[in-house]
Amino acid sequence: MPKSPRLKSKSPAEFFAEHQNIAGFDNPGKSLYTTVREFVENSLDAAEIIGVLPEINLTIEEIKKEELESLRGYKARKRKDLSLYESSSGSSANKRRKTNKGGAAKEDEADESRQQKSRKTTSSSSSFSKTETKGGKTAKRGTKRGSNVSIFRITCTDNGAGMPHDKIPRMLGVVLSSTKYGVKQTRGKFGLGAKMALVWAKKSTGMPVEVESAREGQRISRCKLDIDIYKNEPRVLLHERQSNPEGWRGTKISVVIEGNWKNYRKKILSYMRQ
């Protein structure tokens, strides 16, 4: 008898991680734009809730590879003796040329020259961009992709209502969890925007989101968290409170993601000028 099919289920975070285009995270450039838009619109909502004029500070900072590695906890080390890392095939060929005499040395040199030619031809063919002609138009194939993709840290600070200390992990680390349900007209995607930025950060850089938030007359809450995509649960790395002598109120959220500023610069600036 045929086996009955097994019923499987996916968490909302896993589903949207596989179909991230639904939330506007199709590619690095669009993901950068959507992250900026969601952070800004969340800040506008937070200021609107308490009836104050919004003061939003947005920073998009490009991060070099060395800085990203240090954020991940890796240390760059300099090689003291570069001769130890030379190609073993080249050194063995030099030894053979020294030991062999007459025709044997010539044969080794010929073999090495043929190998070098083959390596040059394979490298040139891999970087070569083919062209095809269709209906009088030429279309290039084999060009490099992602040449404009870099790593960016997006930081958004506002003067809104702030987030309750105990609810910060679930507000940011659970997909389809939102305070906007039941509101007829509001900005952003319900329970998706900021969470999808965290999902994209996990997929592209593996870095957690960092949050500082304070409500009126309360201490500052600091939280650093990741998301478990398969369980749709927050993975809290840091959650603490600290003094707030200046009486600051608002939220500061920072995330490190992969993005394409060159291709989406115009669109992001156009949105910010609205």
Side-chain angles (χ1 to χ4, degrees):
M1 294 179 62
K3 294 182 179 180
S4 58
R6 295 181 61 184
L7 193 62
K8 297 181 180 180
S9 61
K10 291 183 178 181
S11 71
E14 186 179 2
F15 174 81
F16 284 106
E18 294 177 357
H19 304 87
Q20 55 197 24
N21 59 307
I22 298 176
F25 288 78
D26 305 55
N27 52 64
K30 196 169 182 181
S31 299
L32 180 66
Y33 167 74
T34 306
T35 300
V36 168
R37 182 168 180 168
E38 290 300 326
F39 281 5
V40 171
E41 292 181 352
N42 285 344
S43 296
L44 292 174
D45 285 338
E48 187 177 357
I49 289 173
I50 58 176
V52 298
L53 290 175
E55 294 180 6
I56 302 172
N57 184 10
L58 179 72
T59 305
I60 303 176
E61 175 189 2
E62 185 176 359
I63 294 179
K64 301 298 182 182
K65 183 179 178 181
E66 294 77 12
E67 185 178 354
L68 179 62
E69 295 299 326
S70 65
L71 291 174
R72 289 171 173 168
Y74 303 142
K75 292 183 179 180
R77 299 184 182 274
K78 293 183 179 180
R79 294 175 175 177
K80 294 183 178 180
D81 189 358
L82 297 178
S83 63
L84 296 175
Y85 302 93
E86 291 180 356
S87 175
S88 59
S89 61
S91 60
S92 62
N94 291 332
K95 290 179 181 179
R96 286 199 304 270
R97 282 198 297 269
K98 289 179 181 179
T99 55
N100 294 339
K101 295 181 180 180
K106 292 182 180 180
E107 290 179 0
D108 290 339
E109 291 178 0
D111 291 339
E112 187 179 1
S113 62
R114 283 196 294 269
Q115 291 177 1
Q116 290 178 354
K117 288 181 180 179
S118 63
R119 284 196 294 268
K120 288 181 180 180
T121 53
T122 53
S123 61
S124 61
S125 62
S126 61
S127 61
F128 179 69
S129 175
K130 296 181 180 179
T131 58
E132 289 185 354
T133 305
K134 293 183 179 180
K137 297 180 180 180
T138 59
K140 290 187 177 181
R141 295 193 308 170
T143 55
K144 276 190 175 182
R145 295 181 60 191
S147 57
N148 297 328
V149 175
S150 301
I151 305 300
F152 296 91
R153 179 191 285 115
I154 303 176
T155 305
C156 185
T157 308
D158 63 58
N159 63 334
M163 293 186 285
H165 176 78
D166 297 332
K167 295 183 180 179
I168 291 177
R170 291 195 61 83
M171 292 177 73
L172 293 174
V174 180
V175 176
L176 294 182
S177 172
S178 176
T179 58
K180 297 180 182 180
Y181 290 121
V183 182
K184 290 184 178 180
Q185 290 184 351
T186 187
R187 306 171 184 89
K189 296 176 174 63
F190 292 93
L192 281 180
K195 287 87 168 178
M196 283 303 301
L198 181 53
V199 171
W200 175 249
K202 186 176 181 69
K203 293 181 65 176
S204 60
T205 64
M207 297 297 299
V209 64
E210 299 183 12
V211 184
E212 293 183 9
S213 186
R215 309 196 85 181
E216 189 70 43
Q218 296 185 8
R219 292 185 294 171
I220 298 176
S221 300
R222 294 184 68 245
C223 188
K224 182 187 294 186
L225 60 96
D226 198 350
I227 184 171
D228 190 326
I229 294 177
Y230 298 103
K231 295 181 180 179
N232 193 27
E233 293 178 354
R235 191 168 66 93
V236 181
L237 306 176
L238 174 70
H239 196 193
E240 63 181 15
R241 279 178 168 170
Q242 62 184 29
S243 60
N244 188 9
E246 297 181 359
W248 174 68
R249 182 199 68 235
T251 300
K252 178 182 178 182
I253 183 170
S254 179
V255 68
V256 178
I257 63 171
E258 195 176 71
N260 188 335
W261 171 257
K262 185 175 182 179
N263 292 355
Y264 276 78
R265 173 181 176 275
K266 186 176 180 180
K267 191 172 183 179
I268 294 173
L269 294 179
S270 175
Y271 168 74
M272 295 300 296
R273 292 191 183 106
Q274 290 179 0

